[in-house]
């Protein structure tokens, strides 16, 4: 074997080792489908999205659990821009604080509540069935009077949605369902596994524009932004 061939083989092996380690570090621990159902005068409308939860597997252990995915959009009908809609953000409101981390634990806690016992991260891959997301597990819900205008955001109370959405509208329920991780990072659908849901920027075009539009939307809904909250993460995370 020549000198060049030897080093090419070693470099190839190193690349495989590094690539494999990156997959180990970045592979989701689990994925779940968050579904939102809304009762309307025209029947039940539903929106859902696949979210991925990624634990800290770095060697320095200085990171935190992260999320990949986007807010769940529910089209409630009528004209696209001026019609009624509901968006379940990747955020929870804890008193005067907007929490962007609790969304990581929604499925885990929902299964625990449904089972009547604590569920750990290592147990999530064995969970099956659809469980309700209730009470404090329900993320922040907002609605936009005009999808092109972040200033039109309004906070929607889960138990009194009609106050913003109108008569005949109510939150029917939210659910979580654990789904297989698939063959990440080639989870393109089908047998390879369901990828995280993307497309919120097509619904809320101002998210694609650099700037403070996400913060504007949260402020318009009366949500707190203290403590260095990254507003865009309430809508989408890579």
């Amino acid at each position: 074997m020549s000198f060049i061939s030897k080093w090419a083989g070693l470099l190839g092996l190193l690349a495989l080792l590094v690539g494999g380690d990156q997959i180990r570090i970045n592979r989701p621990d689990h994925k779940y489908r968050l579904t939102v159902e809304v009762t309307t005068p025209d029947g039940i409308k539903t929106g859902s999205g696949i979210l991925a939860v990624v634990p800290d597997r770095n060697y320095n252990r200085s990171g935190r659990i992260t999320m990949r995915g986007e807010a769940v959009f529910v089209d409630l009908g009528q004209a696209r821009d001026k019609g009624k809609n509901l968006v379940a953000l990747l955020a929870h409101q804890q008193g005067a604080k907007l929490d962007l981390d609790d969304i990581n634990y929604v499925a885990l806690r929902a299964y625990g509540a449904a089972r009547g016992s604590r569920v750990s991260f290592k147990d999530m891959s064995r969970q099956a069935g659809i469980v309700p997301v209730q009470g404090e597990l329900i993320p922040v819900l907002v609605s936009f009077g005009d999808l092109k205008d972040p200033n039109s955001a309004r906070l929607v109370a889960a138990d009194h949605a009609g106050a913003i959405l109108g008569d005949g509208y109510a939150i029917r329920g939210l659910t979580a369902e654990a789904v297989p991780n698939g063959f990440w990072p080639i989870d393109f659908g089908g047998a390879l596994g369901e990828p995280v849901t993307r497309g919120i920027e097509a619904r809320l075009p101002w998210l694609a524009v650099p700037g403070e539009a996400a913060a504007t939307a949260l402020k318009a809904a009366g949500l707190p932004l203290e403590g260095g909250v990254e507003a865009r993460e309430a809508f989408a995370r890579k």
Side-chain angles (χ1 to χ4, degrees):
M1 180 182 295
S2 70
F3 178 80
I4 294 177
S5 297
K6 178 181 178 180
W7 278 104
L10 289 174
L11 289 174
L13 177 60
L14 179 61
L16 285 174
L17 291 173
V18 171
D21 194 47
Q22 287 302 304
I23 290 175
R24 178 192 68 81
I25 290 173
N26 293 295
R27 186 175 188 271
D29 177 85
H30 63 271
K31 296 177 183 177
Y32 70 94
R33 178 184 288 107
L34 181 64
T35 299
V36 182
E37 292 187 341
V38 182
T39 300
T40 79
D42 297 320
I44 296 172
K45 304 293 184 180
T46 302
S48 65
I50 302 294
L51 303 172
V53 180
V54 185
D56 173 31
R57 299 190 185 98
N58 285 305
Y59 298 106
N60 58 18
R61 300 184 180 276
S62 62
R64 62 185 180 91
I65 294 172
T66 56
M67 164 69 65
R68 297 187 192 126
E70 297 181 338
V72 175
F73 185 94
V74 187
D75 186 345
L76 301 179
Q78 299 185 39
R80 180 177 174 82
D81 292 337
K82 299 295 184 180
K84 295 183 184 297
N85 55 79
L86 184 73
V87 183
L89 300 181
L90 305 179
H92 290 76
Q93 187 170 3
Q94 306 288 353
K97 178 184 176 184
L98 191 66
D99 190 302
L100 299 180
D101 290 330
D102 273 5
I103 193 69
N104 302 328
Y105 307 97
V106 164
L108 181 145
R109 290 169 177 167
Y111 276 101
R115 307 290 189 251
S117 60
R118 183 177 179 274
V119 175
S120 66
F121 266 91
K122 65 182 179 64
D123 295 327
M124 280 301 297
S125 61
R126 295 192 291 270
Q127 301 306 307
I130 299 172
V131 294
V133 173
Q134 300 172 322
E136 294 182 352
L137 295 182
I138 297 176
V140 173
L141 305 174
V142 298
S143 181
F144 292 87
D146 182 345
L147 295 176
K148 295 181 179 178
D149 182 8
N151 271 303
S152 70
R154 297 294 180 267
L155 188 65
V156 176
D159 58 352
H160 196 39
I164 298 297
L165 299 178
D167 292 339
Y169 291 85
I171 307 301
R172 187 169 187 263
L174 283 79
T175 61
E177 178 186 12
V179 300
N181 267 342
F183 295 95
W184 190 90
I186 56 170
D187 50 351
F188 303 137
L192 297 175
E194 296 189 59
V196 296
T197 303
R198 299 295 182 188
I200 193 70
E201 290 180 354
R203 301 284 195 174
L204 306 174
W206 39 267
L207 272 177
V209 181
E212 300 298 319
T216 297
L218 297 183
K219 289 178 181 177
L223 294 167
L225 289 178
E226 291 78 10
V229 170
E230 179 57 53
R232 196 178 190 283
E233 289 195 352
F235 296 90
R237 303 184 196 178
K238 296 181 178 179

